Structure formats: structure tokens, C-alpha cells
Amino acid sequence: MKLKPLLVIALTSLFIQQANASEVVEQGEKLFTNYCSACHGVSSGKGMSNRLAPPIIAVKRHYLGTYSDEQSFVKAVADWVEKPDESKTLMRGAIRRFKIMLPMPFPRADVEKIASYIFKGNVEKPAGFDQHFKDEHKKGKGKGKNLN
Ligand code: HEC
């Protein structure tokens, strides 16, 4: 029986895939800090007021509502960063409040890692966010998905 070596190979490649996935999330988090957090980070502004852009947890919730698998989520976020297009927004209220995001010419591969981190990682939540989200999205207002 040659089953055992096959099993070892299968388990090893599974392990490598998982290690790669968590490496991507780790790199994505660092890239997010460099490229996006000035506007989307928890400490942009004071809590939920005086912000420059929605906190990334809000972006995550809105995007998960429409793009529930990682591949389509990553593509939608990377397309947005390359070329924000008002006809594709999932956050119309944010555009009204902040004006549309400017295109960011970062390497696509880096933005895809950032998007994987947003999809899979534990993104931070600013103080007061849950209440804000409840207030904004009750009575069918807005499309945000209430995930916790
Ligand atoms: C200079 C400030 C700024 C930076 C830097 C920035 N954004 Fe944004 N972003 C905004 C603003 C403002 C909005 C809300 C208005 C809008 O939706 O266009 C936004 C909205 C978004 C949205 C939701 C778009 C929608 O309307 O559906 C995504 C996704 C997004 N940003 C991703 C990113 C990522 C990823 C990065 C880092 C690569 C990034 N942003 C960097 C300002 C910024």
C-alpha cells in the first residue's frame, strides 16, 4: 500500500497552502496600514465623528453583503481602488458624506493582499461603530449587513 506517502504529501501541501494564506493576510495588514489606514483606520478622526472615510469594518460589512466569497470580494475591492466608479458603489451614503474616493495607483498584487486581509483578517472597529451602524441601517436604510 502506497497510501501513507500520499497522505503525507496531501497534508504537507494543505499545510503549505494554509501557511501561505496566513502570510498573505499578514502582509495585507501591513500594506493596509501603509496605504489605507490614514483614511480608513480606526484612528482617522475621533471615533465615528470627524472621519476622512468610513472605517474599514464598514467597508467589509457592505462588501460581504454582496461579495460573499473571497475571490469576488478581492476583485471588487481591487477594481474599486484602481478606479472608483460611482455606478458600482455599495456605499452611496459614504459618497454623499465624504465624496467619492480618489483612484489609488498601488500595485494590483498589493491591493489584492489588502483585500484578502479585509475579507479574512480581524479588522479593527472604532469606538461607537456598532451604534452608528445600527442607526444608519435600521428600517432598510442603506445596504450594510449586520455581521458580528
Ligand atoms: C485619501 C483617503 C483614502 C485612502 C488613502 C483610501 N480610501 Fe478608500 N475610501 C475613501 C473614502 C472617502 C471613501 C468613501 C466614499 C466612497 O465610497 O467612495 C472610501 C471608500 C472605499 C471603499 C468602498 C467604495 C464604495 O463606495 O463601494 C473601498 C472598497 C475602499 N475605500 C477601499 C480602500 C482601500 C483598500 C484602500 C487602500 C489601498 C483605500 N480605500 C484607501 C478614502 C480613502
Side-chain angles (χ1 to χ4, degrees):
M1 285 284 275
K2 290 238 157 63
L3 262 179
K4 223 174 169 184
L6 277 181
L7 192 66
V8 171
I9 292 169
L11 286 176
T12 310
S13 74
L14 195 69
F15 176 76
I16 291 170
Q17 273 172 24
Q18 282 182 345
N20 284 341
S22 66
E23 216 169 273
V24 166
V25 170
E26 229 170 81
Q27 289 171 0
E29 182 169 7
K30 287 197 188 114
L31 291 162
F32 173 82
T33 305
N34 293 339
Y35 296 167
C36 324
S37 70
C39 298
H40 290 291
V42 234
S43 48
S44 149
K46 300 188 200 98
M48 284 309 295
S49 59
N50 287 325
R51 296 194 53 91
L52 295 170
I56 207 64
I57 179 91
V59 173
K60 175 172 180 162
R61 290 190 187 188
H62 284 90
Y63 275 65
L64 278 180
T66 299
Y67 305 104
S68 54
D69 66 287
E70 183 175 355
Q71 211 184 350
S72 64
F73 184 100
V74 167
K75 182 177 183 314
V77 170
D79 285 351
W80 179 270
V81 172
E82 208 168 277
K83 193 169 178 290
D85 172 350
E86 198 163 349
S87 72
K88 298 201 182 115
T89 181
L90 298 182
M91 303 186 73
R92 202 160 292 288
I95 293 185
R96 264 198 307 273
R97 177 170 164 192
F98 300 107
K99 303 234 166 36
I100 191 160
M101 180 173 139
L102 294 172
M104 312 261 157
F106 301 127
R108 175 103 184 174
D110 285 356
V111 178
E112 287 177 350
K113 285 180 188 161
I114 294 172
S116 283
Y117 154 68
I118 298 170
F119 182 86
K120 285 198 284 226
N122 266 331
V123 301
E124 288 181 300
K125 231 192 309 191
F129 176 72
D130 283 331
Q131 192 54 46
H132 163 86
F133 200 82
K134 250 195 221 151
D135 295 344
E136 284 294 302
H137 300 288
K138 65 187 173 200
K139 299 186 212 108
K141 211 177 135 200
K143 290 195 251 182
K145 204 178 180 192
N146 225 336
L147 306 163
N148 251 324

